[in-house]
Amino acid sequence: MEVILKTDIKGLGYKNDLVDVKPGYGRNYLIPQGFAVLATSSNKKILEENIKQAAHKAEKIKTEAEAVASKLEGITLEIKAKIGDSGKIFGKVTTLQLSDALADKGIEIDRKKISINQPVSTSGEYEAEVDLHREVKTNVKFVVIAE
């Protein structure tokens, strides 16, 4: 079943992408939630027209995302966590903590666009991936320190 995405969905695609999904997933989740529309011929023509009109805006958004990515390259965040005697963290470091730390530095990034790829179990230096745009992804370094 082909659908046109109306929003970015992690692991599936970005807004205005034409993706092939299983019929149940499309009919029972994507379309009722408003995340996608059925890819009929008329909807495809509307999509093409919208893409033509949005090309200029998309270029501006991409350059803004690249500017934010260049800011993130030189930043190392400090995340405080409670650490036991054995050196392990109580609880976990979340993307919300990273988003708040970036906001303190003056960079507003939604926590849903940040992903931590390796488990954070001890103090030390780690990296998280930030998905700023469909073509712009960068890594941000963070250090977990004892509270």
Side-chain angles (χ1 to χ4, degrees):
M1 166 183 229
E2 278 191 328
V3 294
I4 300 169
L5 297 178
K6 292 169 106 179
T7 60
D8 296 347
I9 298 177
K10 191 172 185 173
L12 186 61
Y14 296 95
K15 184 177 180 179
N16 293 333
D17 278 353
L18 186 69
V19 293
D20 202 25
V21 296
K22 292 187 177 182
Y25 183 54
R27 253 193 327 271
N28 298 325
Y29 179 69
L30 293 175
I31 294 172
Q33 294 290 328
F35 296 145
V37 293
L38 198 57
T40 60
S41 60
S42 62
N43 282 344
K44 287 179 183 178
K45 288 178 185 175
I46 292 169
L47 173 67
E48 288 174 17
E49 187 61 34
N50 287 344
I51 289 174
K52 285 179 188 175
Q53 292 178 1
H56 181 67
K57 288 182 186 176
E59 188 62 35
K60 182 180 175 189
I61 291 170
K62 182 180 175 188
T63 55
E64 289 174 1
E66 288 171 344
V68 171
S70 65
K71 284 183 188 177
L72 290 176
E73 291 294 324
I75 291 179
T76 301
L77 302 173
E78 287 187 1
I79 306 296
K80 293 183 179 178
K82 292 184 180 180
I83 298 176
D85 294 333
S86 63
K88 291 199 172 201
I89 295 175
F90 293 123
K92 59 166 55 169
V93 174
T94 63
T95 57
L96 182 61
Q97 289 173 302
L98 293 175
S99 177
D100 290 342
L102 284 169
D104 291 343
K105 300 257 186 192
I107 302 170
E108 293 290 330
I109 295 178
D110 186 23
R111 67 182 180 91
K112 294 175 185 168
K113 295 184 182 269
I114 302 172
S115 61
I116 303 171
N117 297 328
Q118 71 268 25
V120 179
S121 57
T122 60
S123 62
E125 197 169 305
Y126 297 94
E127 277 192 356
E129 185 179 39
V130 181
D131 186 7
L132 298 168
H133 185 267
R134 69 171 45 191
E135 298 170 11
V136 181
K137 293 180 177 147
T138 188
N139 290 327
V140 63
K141 294 179 183 175
F142 64 96
V143 178
V144 179
I145 57 174
E147 215 171 43

